[in-house]
Amino acid sequence: MKTFRQIFREAENKIPGIAAAPGIVIAKTYLFTKEAIEISEGEIFEVEVAKANLDEALRKSKKELNKVLNIAREKMSGTRAAIFEAQMMILDDPVLISAIKKRIEKERKLPEFIVNDEISKYQQLMILSHEPYMKERAHDIEDIKNRIIRNLQKKRWQSKIPNDAIVVSDSLTPADTILLSRCNVKGFVTDHGGVTSHAAIISRSLNIPAVVGTHNGSKLIKDGETIIIDGFHGYVFTTPAEDQIKFYTLKQEKLIELQKGLEELKDLPAKTKDGKEIHLKANVDVTGEIDIVVTSGAKGIGLYRTEQILEELGEFPNEDEQTTIYTRLASRIYPEHITIRAFDIGGDKFKFLDYTEPNPFLGLRGIRILLENITLFKTQIRAVLRASQNKNIQFMLPMITTLKEIKHAKEIIEECKKELKKEKIVFDSRMKIGIMIEVPSAAVLAKEFAQEIDFISIGTNDLIQFLMAVDRGNDLVAELYQEFNPAVIRTIAHIVREAKKAHREVSICGEMAADTLAMPLLVGLGLDSLSMSPATLPYAKRIIRSMSYHKAKEMADECIELGSEKEISDRIEKFFKEHSIIRTRQII
Ligand code: PEP
Ligand code: MG
């Protein structure tokens, strides 16, 4: 059987788009076309009748929207359903309605003309905005405008279609997406729209795979033909070949298997019994892993190891290529956030230097290499900034050892921002900058470092290695690699305390965060965010949901005083027994 790459490269029946909602579907299509709205400027003779028609159209629109709102509330979270409440507010806006009525009286033109003209003014302002989010909101307003006009023209809108189809359309409004979903829609494909479009957000909420932005997809796809939607990568395959169907069927089966364990916990918050919420985020190493992240219920990506791109490609991608990679990831996880870590090269990772260092772990690696290769560093920073338009990216510096490194890196970031501004490239000017604490000097100086940055992520993999002076990959000294060594626990406690004093977000993204035994201790130490491999996430969630933060804190306070690794791990085991918490063994 061909690999995905072969199918992807060779396929002539592939229509590329934007991966808007994850999942794979193989089903028949339904081409959803909407009658174009024609607006007449016609003169009116009876102003009162025209105004009454307007009132009636507003009343009817409100009734329809209420129906949509009810379905939305039933199927989605409150925040997502709020877009329809926002549309409802437009219908109730006294300033807008009175402006329309005044113009009807004065200009004596058909209400549909004035409604179109008035609401379009708002839209224009939004379309001119540099913010992609505002541009998308302009489309939402289009929906309410057309709804009023259609009701003024007394036309009906199609909302019933055959069951179990993939809906293919030029564009879809949020209301279309909601109403059509009642016909057990299997997927959505639209020519227009981005990942922040509400149709995309709603598809994600409803768990319906979607590919948007296919440009002319609706012209290429025939009504009733079988297609494949790959909502993970943003592809549509028309009339798929046998091996494509086989490949995707297999992928579907794997996905179902994976989701079985995750499903029941996916939408539940990782909250302790006494109400403390822990943000469980995902670590992403390989780009393909994002597929699972999105279905795992992770609250964003806490660590994206960009050096893995180099492992995959075998070379440094240029600025545009990197921008594409980061944009795609940030879009896939939107509206959650992604923490992109600068290339952590050297050490035992991607080899950058021509010669072999005597002590690679203690050599030129991470931020040290980046600060010596400014062009390389700037290429990455510019790409990350360019991908930050939707404001859901934060940038993290690896292997920080001194304050000078942080200051230098920040200066370079500022320089990149200035360049982009000059080039009139839009980016998130307030993108958060954080550091990894994985070197003992950084741990000791957590207080001073915290003043310089927005967030801290503790890299326990390296931190334990350096605290214990033990090569993390060397079997001979594996016994000494101790997560629960008092030195490690007290160091973590110190970092958390200092970060909190400075009001900085602090998390752990090393593998210790994925160790289910460590979970109550880390929560008790005050960490409010943990980032781990997505497969571990539901297990972590289950533990957090079955324990009390206060009890965990009492236990952590005791552990800080204990003098040996054994005493600490025994104390945590006792905690699990005392509170009858089921612990699945570490599964990474
Ligand atoms: C760490 O050191 O804990 C970490 C997350 O970074 P990496 O494993 O990539 O070195
Ligand atoms: Mg590390």
Side-chain angles (χ1 to χ4, degrees):
M1 192 193 291
K2 289 177 187 171
T3 62
F4 175 76
R5 259 170 190 263
Q6 285 168 314
I7 291 175
F8 158 75
R9 285 219 173 110
E10 292 163 17
E12 281 173 8
N13 59 340
K14 180 191 75 187
I15 303 173
I18 298 165
I24 289 158
V25 195
I26 308 173
K28 286 201 176 356
T29 60
Y30 177 80
L31 284 194
F32 180 71
T33 42
K34 284 183 277 186
E35 212 182 304
I37 289 191
E38 279 173 30
I39 295 153
S40 147
E41 199 178 332
E43 202 180 331
I44 51 159
F45 300 101
E46 294 186 66
V47 171
E48 287 315 309
V49 174
K51 285 202 294 188
N53 283 346
L54 175 70
D55 285 336
E56 175 59 17
L58 290 172
R59 196 191 53 76
K60 189 137 195 293
S61 302
K62 230 182 265 181
K63 201 172 147 199
E64 287 172 358
L65 208 51
N66 241 328
K67 192 164 140 194
V68 176
L69 188 58
N70 285 336
I71 304 172
R73 282 196 185 124
E74 194 183 300
K75 293 197 170 200
M76 307 191 301
S77 71
T79 39
R80 298 271 153 94
I83 48 162
F84 300 109
E85 282 161 14
Q87 289 194 4
M88 198 70 104
M89 276 160 71
I90 295 178
L91 287 174
D92 275 330
D93 181 350
V95 180
L96 178 70
I97 310 293
S98 112
I100 293 172
K101 285 189 177 167
K102 276 196 187 121
R103 281 189 61 186
I104 294 176
E105 285 163 10
K106 196 164 156 234
E107 297 171 31
R108 294 183 167 257
K109 282 183 183 149
L110 274 174
E112 63 189 55
F113 175 80
I114 312 244
V115 164
N116 183 47
D117 201 46
E118 273 300 305
I119 302 185
S120 298
K121 277 193 221 158
Y122 281 93
Q123 274 181 297
Q124 270 316 312
L125 285 178
M126 288 178 151
I127 287 168
L128 289 176
S129 155
H130 286 305
E131 303 253 338
Y133 181 83
M134 288 301 274
K135 281 196 208 299
E136 288 294 354
R137 298 299 71 81
H139 292 298
D140 297 344
I141 292 189
E142 178 84 14
D143 186 19
I144 193 68
K145 180 179 81 180
N146 290 342
R147 187 178 294 281
I148 305 170
I149 296 172
R150 176 173 47 80
N151 281 324
L152 277 165
Q153 297 175 341
K154 301 200 166 30
K155 280 189 183 151
R156 278 186 56 74
W157 205 255
Q158 184 190 8
S159 66
K160 278 260 183 318
I161 59 156
N163 276 343
D164 303 318
I166 295 173
V167 173
V168 179
S169 180
D170 172 62
S171 66
L172 285 172
T173 66
D176 291 335
T177 322
I178 284 281
L179 289 174
L180 295 175
S181 75
R182 289 182 309 167
C183 304
N184 203 23
V185 165
K186 292 285 180 228
F188 289 111
V189 177
T190 64
D191 292 350
H192 299 292
V195 86
T196 60
S197 66
H198 271 307
I201 294 176
I202 288 170
S203 305
R204 286 201 287 276
S205 289
L206 299 175
N207 232 341
I208 300 176
V211 174
V212 299
T214 57
H215 301 298
N216 57 349
S218 69
K219 310 267 175 320
L220 301 172
I221 300 169
K222 293 183 204 72
D223 187 39
E225 79 167 312
T226 298
I227 62 168
I228 298 176
I229 298 189
D230 179 343
F232 293 116
H233 298 90
Y235 298 123
V236 176
F237 295 88
T238 56
T239 319
E242 211 173 294
D243 57 356
Q244 289 174 325
I245 295 189
K246 251 193 198 164
F247 180 90
Y248 276 107
T249 311
L250 210 72
K251 219 171 163 171
Q252 270 179 324
E253 284 164 9
K254 273 195 199 152
L255 210 65
I256 293 169
E257 203 50 44
L258 246 168
Q259 280 167 343
K260 261 188 210 157
L262 307 176
E263 266 314 305
E264 63 195 69
L265 288 166
K266 183 176 168 278
D267 295 320
L268 299 175
K271 230 183 217 173
T272 61
K273 280 176 164 176
D274 47 353
K276 171 154 178 164
E277 180 150 11
I278 308 296
H279 296 281
L280 293 186
K281 299 185 186 181
N283 287 358
V284 171
D285 290 354
V286 217
T287 339
E289 219 176 349
I290 183 94
D291 299 1
I292 320 170
V293 174
V294 184
T295 48
S296 72
K299 288 270 162 244
I301 296 173
L303 168 65
Y304 175 49
R305 291 180 164 102
T306 56
E307 62 278 5
Q308 287 297 333
I309 307 172
L310 313 178
E311 300 286 357
E312 281 178 47
L313 298 179
E315 60 183 6
F316 284 94
N318 65 29
E319 186 181 314
D320 283 346
E321 287 163 339
Q322 285 189 54
T323 307
T324 308
I325 296 172
Y326 306 145
T327 306
R328 206 173 271 170
L329 276 169
S331 302
R332 280 293 306 283
I333 203 76
Y334 188 90
E336 302 294 353
H337 286 63
I338 174 170
T339 303
I340 297 180
R341 182 173 74 180
F343 294 130
D344 188 13
I345 39 187
D348 61 339
K349 298 187 183 172
F350 187 78
K351 207 167 156 11
F352 182 71
L353 301 168
D354 283 340
Y355 66 92
T356 310
E357 292 177 281
N359 287 307
F361 278 120
L362 306 179
L364 198 55
R365 52 170 300 197
I367 194 73
R368 303 172 190 177
I369 291 193
L370 300 174
L371 293 177
E372 293 232 341
N373 294 274
I374 306 281
T375 316
L376 179 93
F377 194 20
K378 278 180 81 173
T379 305
Q380 184 172 36
I381 298 169
R382 284 176 55 101
V384 170
L385 282 166
R386 283 173 60 189
S388 71
Q389 286 193 24
N390 289 328
K391 300 187 168 54
N392 68 331
I393 292 184
Q394 37 189 39
F395 191 50
M396 182 157 73
L397 311 168
M399 280 296 292
I400 291 289
T401 313
T402 67
L403 204 57
K404 194 171 156 205
E405 287 167 344
I406 304 179
K407 289 191 172 165
H408 191 181
K410 277 172 61 185
E411 275 165 26
I412 298 170
I413 295 169
E414 278 313 308
E415 224 174 278
C416 291
K417 285 186 180 174
K418 271 193 199 134
E419 286 174 13
L420 292 177
K421 248 184 218 155
K422 229 187 219 166
E423 294 162 37
K424 299 208 171 358
I425 294 174
V426 185
F427 61 91
D428 176 8
S429 58
R430 290 201 268 181
M431 181 178 76
K432 286 190 177 161
I433 310 293
I435 54 163
M436 299 269 306
I437 291 198
E438 43 192 347
V439 176
S441 65
V444 172
L445 298 175
K447 179 180 167 188
E448 285 76 10
F449 287 15
Q451 298 304 325
E452 286 294 322
I453 41 86
D454 299 309
F455 66 93
I456 285 174
S457 191
I458 307 173
T460 45
N461 304 344
D462 275 313
L463 186 60
I464 298 171
Q465 149 165 285
F466 295 127
L467 266 179
M468 304 297 292
V470 52
D471 179 343
R472 70 195 239 193
N474 186 341
D475 281 355
L476 298 177
V477 283
E479 278 270 296
L480 274 174
Y481 190 89
Q482 298 172 351
E483 278 180 2
F484 298 114
N485 188 285
V488 173
I489 304 309
R490 289 183 205 178
T491 304
I492 294 176
H494 168 74
I495 301 169
V496 174
R497 215 179 299 124
E498 292 304 335
K500 293 213 154 180
K501 270 197 228 155
H503 304 289
R504 299 291 185 266
E505 192 197 318
V506 57
S507 66
I508 289 194
C509 63
E511 297 306 327
M512 188 172 178
D515 181 354
T516 47
L517 184 63
M519 204 69 57
L521 177 64
L522 298 180
V523 171
L525 286 175
L527 282 141
D528 1 66
S529 162
L530 300 170
S531 192
M532 61 194 71
S533 73
T536 337
L537 221 129
Y539 299 89
K541 201 183 261 187
R542 188 160 69 189
I543 292 175
I544 288 166
R545 288 177 61 83
S546 49
M547 72 189 208
S548 130
Y549 165 66
H550 281 99
K551 296 277 176 222
K553 185 173 180 320
E554 275 169 30
M555 184 264 292
D557 288 346
E558 272 178 51
C559 286
I560 292 175
E561 301 299 324
L562 296 174
S564 73
E565 186 214 16
K566 172 102 179 42
E567 284 172 281
I568 294 177
S569 53
D570 282 353
R571 180 64 191 90
I572 311 173
E573 296 273 12
K574 194 171 144 220
F575 179 86
F576 275 91
K577 279 202 196 93
E578 274 170 4
H579 301 286
S580 317
I581 303 170
I582 305 164
R583 178 166 102 81
T584 328
R585 280 219 62 78
Q586 192 168 338
I587 53 136
I588 0 152

